[in-house]
Amino acid sequence: MRILHVITSLRVGGAEKLMVDLLPRLREKGHQVDLLLFDGVDTQFKSQLQGSGVNIISCGIGRSVYHPANILKLRKLMTQYDVIHTHNYAPQIYAAIASIGKSVRLVTTEHNSSNRRRKYKWFSMIDRWMYRRYSTVICIADKTLDNLKDFVGNNVADMLVINNGVDVNRFASANPSTELEKLAPKSRKIIMVAGFRWEKDQDTIIRALNLLPDRFHLFLVGDGVRRAELEKLANEENVSKRVHFMGIKSNVPELLHAADYVVMSSHFEGLSLSSVEGMSVGKPFLASDVDGLREVTANVGVLFPHQDAQALAKAIMQLELSPTEYEKVSMACFKHAAMYDISLMAEQYNNVYLN
């Protein structure tokens, strides 16, 4: 089967990381799998995919992902594939437009449990029309499906949940990096891996750090538009010397293994791949009690109230002072991560294409 996945770019992000892990496995199942990028800028993820043999097509480099030429590019390519599978909003809406008057099967993956467009009448109307153009909408978590059903009603032919997956073995078997210890010798290390975007909430961890003893250091892996804002907050909280902005890294499994606590603080998620990755290394995982994180973390990791820095700091200290509880939470997270292995996800995606 000929399958074209479409995404905005291969910059840092959960959906982008999913392409790196999923597409080679779909090729192993005998499909022709290509990837169309609206912005074909060179990244580590792009190099990884090209190295695995996935053909990458670019609409351009550095221009807006909403450039109207992307619609024309999609329209020309559509007849060459059996399935067009989109990720992120620009590909979702542009594929819907490009498919008008064409006989093509559209599939999309909804990666977020909510978005700001649904609050506005005209955006909501456009989005409801867009989803009706798709034969299948894959939601990455139960809450994502529930919210989407509330939004679109019964106007989509097929909606189902396929949990995002990661290469659990790769994360579990990685060797700890020495990088964190060099930056903060003999410290207790907290790590969060996420882009610096508005839906993420690194702010709460920075504020929590101010409530923790000085031996605790925070390592923020990622980058994005909010970096300067977060650096300013670290200065205001008098913890700038204990917050390490790591940038985008290719050795995330090794960095996670080197940490003592893995945290994901967000305003909302779809189903966070970084969360599953964090659980895969056998360390305590702590997350905001919000949609998309609650489903993954409940009953195994530690949930703290949204934006509650004091509760987060308290939860970390409770684990710090109880080695037995620390080990119990670590092992529960590690065992839970196996439910989200990428091989299970690839098989479910394959079934969608064949049915």
Side-chain angles (χ1 to χ4, degrees):
M1 184 172 287
R2 299 165 299 170
I3 305 166
L4 178 68
H5 280 255
V6 189
I7 196 168
T8 50
S9 73
L10 284 175
R11 300 177 190 272
V12 66
E16 293 80 0
K17 179 63 166 59
L18 181 64
M19 298 296 94
V20 175
D21 289 337
L22 176 63
L23 300 194
R25 287 170 171 82
L26 293 176
R27 291 183 73 244
E28 290 171 2
K29 294 182 180 297
H31 300 296
Q32 175 192 327
V33 183
D34 298 339
L35 178 64
L36 176 65
L37 304 177
F38 281 5
D39 180 1
V41 62
D42 290 332
T43 65
Q44 292 175 346
F45 284 168
K46 184 179 179 183
S47 297
Q48 284 180 255
L49 264 182
Q50 287 173 324
S52 70
V54 173
N55 179 42
I56 296 179
I57 307 165
S58 174
C59 289
I61 295 178
R63 71 185 184 190
S64 170
V65 297
Y66 290 99
H67 195 290
N70 296 341
I71 299 176
L72 299 177
K73 183 73 171 182
L74 257 173
R75 193 168 173 84
K76 289 179 181 178
L77 287 171
M78 278 184 169
T79 55
Q80 302 175 27
Y81 295 90
D82 302 301
V83 177
I84 306 294
H85 191 143
T86 65
H87 306 263
N88 302 340
Y89 183 65
Q92 283 179 326
I93 186 64
Y94 277 12
I97 295 170
S99 70
I100 295 174
K102 287 187 175 290
S103 178
V104 60
R105 183 183 177 195
L106 295 184
V107 175
T108 192
T109 297
E110 186 58 48
H111 290 272
N112 288 308
S113 57
S114 184
N115 62 64
R116 291 179 288 183
R117 296 187 308 275
R118 296 178 191 177
K119 299 178 181 179
Y120 302 99
K121 179 180 178 181
W122 288 107
F123 281 126
S124 293
M125 292 174 62
I126 293 170
D127 277 13
R128 288 189 178 96
W129 170 86
M130 174 189 76
Y131 286 117
R132 289 197 295 270
R133 301 291 301 174
Y134 284 85
S135 63
T136 304
V137 177
I138 298 169
C139 298
I140 64 171
D142 291 336
K143 191 62 178 181
T144 305
L145 177 62
D146 292 342
N147 289 351
L148 190 59
K149 281 185 173 179
D150 289 342
F151 177 65
V152 301
N154 297 316
N155 293 318
V156 176
D158 185 24
M159 299 172 66
L160 72 157
V161 173
I162 299 179
N163 290 326
N164 270 357
V166 302
D167 188 344
V168 172
N169 183 63
R170 175 171 175 262
F171 280 81
S173 61
N175 294 316
S177 169
T178 60
E179 190 172 351
L180 305 190
E181 182 64 17
K182 288 178 180 178
L183 289 170
K186 299 181 180 180
S187 66
R188 298 297 284 172
K189 300 169 180 61
I190 305 167
I191 192 169
M192 176 171 169
V193 181
F196 298 165
R197 303 187 297 273
W198 72 271
E199 64 265 33
K200 306 299 180 183
D201 181 30
Q202 288 93 346
D203 312 59
T204 295
I205 312 182
I206 292 172
R207 293 189 175 100
L209 192 66
N210 192 28
L211 304 173
L212 291 167
D214 288 348
R215 67 179 183 274
F216 284 87
H217 281 242
L218 172 61
F219 299 85
L220 296 176
V221 179
D223 211 340
V225 296
R226 296 194 64 237
R227 177 161 182 160
E229 186 178 349
L230 294 172
E231 289 174 338
K232 179 181 178 183
L233 178 62
N235 281 318
E236 292 172 350
E237 293 289 323
N238 297 313
V239 293
S240 59
K241 292 183 179 180
R242 294 196 284 140
V243 179
H244 306 272
F245 291 86
M246 306 292 290
I248 298 171
K249 308 293 287 188
S250 60
N251 61 334
V252 170
E254 290 77 12
L255 294 173
L256 289 171
H257 268 281
D260 300 295
Y261 298 92
V262 182
V263 179
M264 178 55 68
S265 181
S266 297
H267 299 300
F268 66 85
E269 292 279 348
L271 187 149
S272 171
L273 285 177
S274 293
S275 301
V276 181
E277 292 171 351
M279 290 185 178
S280 300
V281 299
K283 301 294 174 69
F285 180 77
L286 303 93
S288 309
D289 191 0
V290 298
D291 290 349
L293 289 175
R294 185 182 305 114
E295 293 82 353
V296 179
T297 310
N299 302 317
V300 288
V302 177
L303 288 168
F304 59 90
H306 178 226
Q307 293 185 304
D308 191 334
Q310 187 171 5
L312 174 56
K314 181 180 179 180
I316 290 173
M317 286 309 300
Q318 286 176 337
L319 291 169
E320 185 73 5
L321 297 173
S322 175
T324 300
E325 186 66 16
Y326 182 99
E327 184 64 22
K328 178 183 175 182
V329 173
S330 299
M331 289 306 300
C333 290
F334 178 73
K335 291 178 181 178
H336 188 62
M339 295 175 54
Y340 298 93
D341 190 75
I342 190 68
S343 61
L344 301 176
M345 180 188 182
E347 186 60 34
Q348 291 174 300
Y349 268 68
N350 186 55
N351 291 337
V352 167
Y353 300 138
L354 297 179
N355 292 331

